[in-house]
């Protein structure tokens, strides 16, 4: 509904400028706040299991690039050999392959930010080299009908691969090996989450994934789980591992009863010691920490 209203509002805004309507009524419609669908990307183990299961599939090199770089499906299928520079070790992401209605087209990537250069990782070099050799074999076997499309990933006759066929192969592999099926686009979420888990700065992840805004990378594509939350909070906990640095009863202000009802343990000792420094000690001011018992407070001002 959000998309429908946005499209209608744009059309009515144009009509308003041309004085065909008196106002844009689409802007008066109130819709529930948009909530993105929950995405549960693969864990590292699931991604490894999938790549292991796909090793004998002709499209394995394409799947490897999806997992390694978080490329869009259309970017992988639209990759040309002229975009692969083995000598300099770079991949130039410049175009995508997609379908609009009944037409399969090749065109520029989604946004200007999507035009990016990526390093040819060792694993990528291996799978791309294997793909080039496989394609040469296709060309020899299908010489009479071979079409030189210039694409890295093609059918046996050299033609572009139908995006839906990549999706079908992906689901078939997952089903055969009992791997949790996710949307193929969610492999992109998986790669983004891997970058986050490895401590890659969000700005770098944005450039790798080709997002126009860093907020897209952080708010939509990067996810966490209980394991990452536990690791994050464990880092905070380690700041307090040395018990000798925690306030104890030995640091309580002189004259404070040891059997006070103010509480016990770390929190109570901390409250007592801090209040002795900033609110008590015979100074003519009220306690800064109202949780202290007035009976044990040494302030001169009554509560």
């Amino acid at each position: 509904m959000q998309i429908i209203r946005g499209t209608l509002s744009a059309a009515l805004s144009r009509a308003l400028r041309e004085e065909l309507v008196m106002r844009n009524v689409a802007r008066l419609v109130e819709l529930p706040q948009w909530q993105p669908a929950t995405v549960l990307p693969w864990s590292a183990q699931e991604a490894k299991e999938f790549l292991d299961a796909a090793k004998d599939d002709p499209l394995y090199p394409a799947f490897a690039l999806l997992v390694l770089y978080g490329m869009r499906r259309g970017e992988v299928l639209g990759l040309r050999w002229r975009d692969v520079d083995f000598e300099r070790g770079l991949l130039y992401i410049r175009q995508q392959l997609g379908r609009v209605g009944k037409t399969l087209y090749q065109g520029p990537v989604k946004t200007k930010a999507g035009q990016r250069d990526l390093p040819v990782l060792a694993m990528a070099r291996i799978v791309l080299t294997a793909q080039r050799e496989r394609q040469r074999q296709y060309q020899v076997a299908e010489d009479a009908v071979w079409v030189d499309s210039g694409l890295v990933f093609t059918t046996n006759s050299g033609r572009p691969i139908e995006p839906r066929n990549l999706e079908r192969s992906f689901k078939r592999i997952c089903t055969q090996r009992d791997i949790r099926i996710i949307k193929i686009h969610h492999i992109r979420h998986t790669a983004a989450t891997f970058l986050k888990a490895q401590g890659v700065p969000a700005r770098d992840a944005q450039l790798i994934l080709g997002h126009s805004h860093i907020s897209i990378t952080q708010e939509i594509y990067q996810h966490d789980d209980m394991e990452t939350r536990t690791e994050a909070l464990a880092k905070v906990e380690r700041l307090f591992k040395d018990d000798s640095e925690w306030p104890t009863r030995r640091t309580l202000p002189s004259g404070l009863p040891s059997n006070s009802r103010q509480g016990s343990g770390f929190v109570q000792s901390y409250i007592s010691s801090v209040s002795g420094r900033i609110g008590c000690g015979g100074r003519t001011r009220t306690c800064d920490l109202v949780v202290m018992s007035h009976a044990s407070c040494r302030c001169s001002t009554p509560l």
Side-chain angles (χ1 to χ4, degrees):
M1 293 182 66
Q2 298 280 354
I3 297 176
I4 294 174
R5 186 181 68 170
T7 304
L8 182 59
S9 179
L12 290 175
S13 294
R14 176 64 179 269
L16 186 62
R17 288 195 297 269
E18 296 181 4
E19 299 182 354
L20 299 176
V21 296
M22 297 298 295
R23 60 178 177 173
N24 187 343
V25 294
R27 295 181 179 178
L28 304 178
V29 179
E30 293 185 6
L31 296 178
Q33 185 176 2
W34 177 74
Q35 295 293 338
T38 301
V39 176
L40 295 176
W42 273 341
S43 65
Q45 183 60 36
E46 288 175 311
K48 290 177 182 178
E49 290 177 0
F50 171 76
L51 289 178
D52 182 64
K55 278 187 176 179
D56 296 329
D57 192 275
L59 289 173
Y60 170 72
F63 293 132
L65 295 187
L66 288 173
V67 174
L68 281 174
Y69 297 104
M71 294 169 63
R72 298 176 178 91
R73 179 183 64 177
E75 292 173 345
V76 169
L77 295 181
L79 189 66
R80 299 162 296 191
W81 283 115
R82 71 181 188 184
D83 299 325
V84 181
D85 190 338
F86 285 113
E87 184 176 345
R88 298 183 61 190
L90 290 173
L91 294 178
Y92 304 107
I93 312 302
R94 295 294 184 271
Q95 78 160 11
Q96 62 180 341
L97 178 75
R99 174 170 290 282
V100 176
K102 297 182 179 180
T103 303
L104 197 63
Y105 75 95
Q106 298 179 46
V109 291
K110 188 176 180 180
T111 63
K112 184 178 180 180
Q115 298 181 11
R116 58 203 188 277
D117 303 339
L118 299 173
V120 179
L121 303 176
M123 181 177 174
R125 183 180 292 272
I126 292 173
V127 299
L128 286 171
T129 301
Q131 174 62 18
R132 183 167 57 179
E133 179 59 31
R134 181 184 292 109
Q135 198 174 77
R136 286 172 180 168
Q137 295 174 6
Y138 289 159
Q139 186 173 3
V140 172
E142 306 289 341
D143 183 59
V145 295
W146 176 262
V147 176
D148 187 7
S149 62
L151 296 174
V152 174
F153 302 105
T154 64
T155 64
N156 292 4
S157 60
R159 291 175 172 80
I161 291 177
E162 169 65 49
R164 287 176 294 185
N165 289 340
L166 182 71
E167 188 94 28
R168 292 189 185 102
S169 296
F170 172 72
K171 291 182 178 179
R172 173 178 49 78
I173 295 169
C174 290
T175 301
Q176 290 176 347
R177 293 293 291 268
D178 196 26
I179 299 171
R180 181 169 61 92
I181 298 178
I182 61 176
K183 293 182 178 179
I184 199 167
H185 182 73
H186 290 174
I187 296 179
R188 187 164 161 81
H189 290 248
T190 299
T193 303
F194 288 166
L195 291 171
K196 174 177 175 288
Q198 295 303 314
V200 176
R203 173 59 177 168
D204 292 336
Q206 175 199 357
L207 296 175
I208 291 171
L209 296 168
H211 289 145
S212 55
H213 299 286
I214 198 171
S215 60
I216 296 176
T217 306
Q218 294 178 304
E219 298 177 12
I220 299 178
Y221 281 84
Q222 292 185 330
H223 307 269
D224 70 343
D225 53 26
M226 189 53 64
E227 181 180 354
T228 56
R229 295 178 192 180
T230 301
E231 290 178 357
L233 290 173
K235 293 179 181 178
V236 177
E237 183 186 39
R238 284 196 289 272
L239 297 174
F240 306 99
K241 280 296 185 181
D242 187 359
D243 293 346
S244 64
E245 295 182 0
W246 291 3
T248 63
R249 288 187 179 275
R250 292 191 299 273
T251 64
L252 293 176
S254 59
L256 186 65
S258 61
N259 62 348
S260 169
R261 294 183 180 179
Q262 299 174 46
S264 59
F266 165 69
V267 174
Q268 178 52 44
S269 301
Y270 179 75
I271 291 175
S272 301
S273 62
V274 171
S275 62
R277 292 194 299 270
I278 65 175
C280 300
R283 299 175 186 171
T284 56
R285 55 181 293 193
T286 58
C287 292
D288 291 36
L289 301 175
V290 296
V291 294
M292 293 184 60
S293 169
H294 183 55
S296 62
C297 178
R298 301 171 63 186
C299 298
S300 60
T301 304
L303 293 178

